[in-house]
Amino acid sequence: MCDERDNLESVRYWRTPPERVPQRFYVAFCLLMSSVQDFILGQKERASNNLNWSATCSYYSLVHGGRLLCFLALGDYPTSHAKLRHVLSSRPQPRTSPCREQDGYPFDWLRGFATLAGGQPSQVRGNEGGTVGEFRQVIAAYLKHVHVEEVDRRLAKVGAMLAAAGPLRNDSNYEALLIAHEYQHVTISEAFDDLSRHMANAAESALPFVIDAFTGFRRHDPDLPQGRDEYESLLHDYVHDRIGGAIRRKLGGSVPMEAKLKDVLSLIDTCSIGARYEHLEAQMSMGVFGGKAHLMREFQGRIENLAKETGA
């Protein structure tokens, strides 16, 4: 497993320069909390009988969780939902050529992110390619290496749920003849209720595995430093205050939803140990983390363009 991972340019990318080590931690954390947030918002929308959007939120919880599994092992993930499903599926896939492009990255997220940061294509060394199935094997091997339990069964389950959920998300989001009949229809209304319920169950069943994968990474990943007290302090404060608090504000004071969120956050198993982590925040800041800074600026620029087009 180590040789296969070490041959990936995407894994090497996060090792040098040294500030990329905490930046990789931060990207993984953001993927985890995105999965948590979409799960709890899916539950909230279901409780409000907003079934279509509940299913959409739950689906994206699965997507962010799947992306995290890829990112932890490979340093990259496919932005295409279909490609993500293929990577995580345990079903036999058609034989394809290696995924790697000239820069050595297996998928397209890191390619775009590194370009935003002003990165240049890497000089590919050796045989760094891999088929979809081979990348899945590396993901499974990495998760076992960081002491995640029952990897094969749980990874197959997530892959199967994503494979079943993807086409349904397209139906419920893009087919107007279905969307218009979400309520007060003799058959489709019940179908939307079933969709919301099953998608919520899928997200809820996947989340403990996704959290265990992140926990294995933060405790056993060989690229993180041995002394990790500052990482643990940052994680605790961000989980329960900075990001957890932001999610909590979206729940409209719902006591059941806040209790469910608390239960989920407790699975991340953090503790306040009082270590200072300002230097980690500095390395994750927009001033140092070039890809993050450019991504946020592009986002703001597109919003400004929308405002211009709407005359606001």
Side-chain angles (χ1 to χ4, degrees):
M1 187 278 292
C2 292
D3 289 343
E4 293 178 51
R5 284 192 75 240
D6 288 343
N7 281 337
L8 288 172
E9 192 64 34
S10 54
V11 171
R12 291 195 287 259
Y13 175 90
W14 294 106
R15 289 173 174 165
T16 54
E19 61 266 20
R20 286 185 182 162
V21 174
Q23 290 169 6
R24 172 178 171 236
F25 182 91
Y26 188 66
V27 172
F29 169 74
C30 289
L31 286 168
L32 172 67
M33 295 306 288
S34 294
S35 185
V36 169
Q37 174 175 260
D38 285 340
F39 161 71
I40 201 69
L41 291 180
Q43 297 281 330
K44 174 179 177 286
E45 294 302 321
R46 177 162 173 77
S48 301
N49 205 36
N50 194 358
L51 303 176
N52 189 12
W53 283 112
S54 168
T56 299
C57 290
S58 298
Y59 168 76
Y60 272 99
S61 178
L62 285 172
V63 169
H64 289 305
R67 287 173 171 174
L68 175 62
L69 299 176
C70 287
F71 181 77
L72 292 176
L74 306 173
D76 195 8
Y77 60 80
T79 58
S80 161
H81 294 195
K83 186 65 168 290
L84 179 67
R85 295 196 296 268
H86 291 159
V87 171
L88 296 180
S89 176
S90 60
R91 298 172 183 171
Q93 300 293 326
R95 180 135 187 106
T96 59
S97 59
C99 299
R100 168 181 60 81
E101 300 291 344
Q102 289 185 350
D103 54 20
Y105 303 147
F107 306 117
D108 60 332
W109 178 81
L110 182 58
R111 182 172 305 116
F113 189 77
T115 300
L116 284 175
Q120 299 296 319
S122 304
Q123 185 66 39
V124 176
R125 293 169 286 181
N127 180 20
E128 301 173 13
T131 64
V132 165
E134 289 167 344
F135 284 132
R136 186 185 182 280
Q137 292 174 9
V138 174
I139 293 170
Y142 170 83
L143 294 176
K144 293 173 185 177
H145 183 71
V146 296
H147 307 292
V148 179
E149 296 182 353
E150 298 185 81
V151 168
D152 292 331
R153 179 188 65 80
R154 298 166 90 185
L155 188 59
K157 183 67 173 177
V158 168
M161 290 190 299
L162 267 172
L168 283 166
R169 175 258 183 176
N170 291 338
D171 289 341
S172 65
N173 275 192
Y174 302 131
E175 288 294 342
L177 285 173
L178 296 176
I179 296 168
H181 295 91
E182 179 178 353
Y183 303 106
Q184 297 182 339
H185 188 276
V186 64
T187 57
I188 298 303
S189 296
E190 183 179 353
F192 268 102
D193 185 66
D194 289 343
L195 172 65
S196 170
R197 174 163 47 86
H198 293 310
M199 202 77 86
N201 289 342
E204 187 164 22
S205 66
L207 205 50
F209 178 44
V210 171
I211 291 172
D212 284 354
F214 181 82
T215 298
F217 154 71
R218 81 185 222 238
R219 290 178 175 168
H220 303 292
D221 186 273
D223 290 330
L224 291 180
Q226 291 297 312
R228 302 180 186 184
D229 285 354
E230 65 272 28
Y231 282 87
E232 291 299 308
S233 285
L234 181 145
L235 183 65
H236 179 81
D237 289 350
Y238 274 51
V239 164
H240 294 284
D241 296 326
R242 183 161 181 177
I243 307 300
I247 297 172
R248 200 171 295 112
R249 286 193 292 272
K250 297 182 180 184
L251 302 180
S254 169
V255 174
M257 289 299 105
E258 289 190 4
K260 187 174 284 287
L261 175 63
K262 183 179 179 180
D263 289 344
V264 172
L265 295 182
S266 70
L267 295 177
I268 303 175
D269 191 24
T270 67
C271 62
S272 179
I273 54 179
R276 300 180 68 89
Y277 53 78
E278 289 90 344
H279 68 290
L280 290 182
E281 287 188 307
Q283 292 172 316
M284 299 170 185
S285 70
M286 289 180 66
V288 175
F289 198 173
K292 172 186 171 184
H294 286 282
L295 183 68
M296 291 182 173
R297 282 197 287 269
E298 282 207 349
F299 179 56
Q300 292 169 323
R302 291 189 182 110
I303 294 172
E304 291 168 3
N305 183 61
L306 175 61
K308 176 184 176 182
E309 295 301 331
T310 58

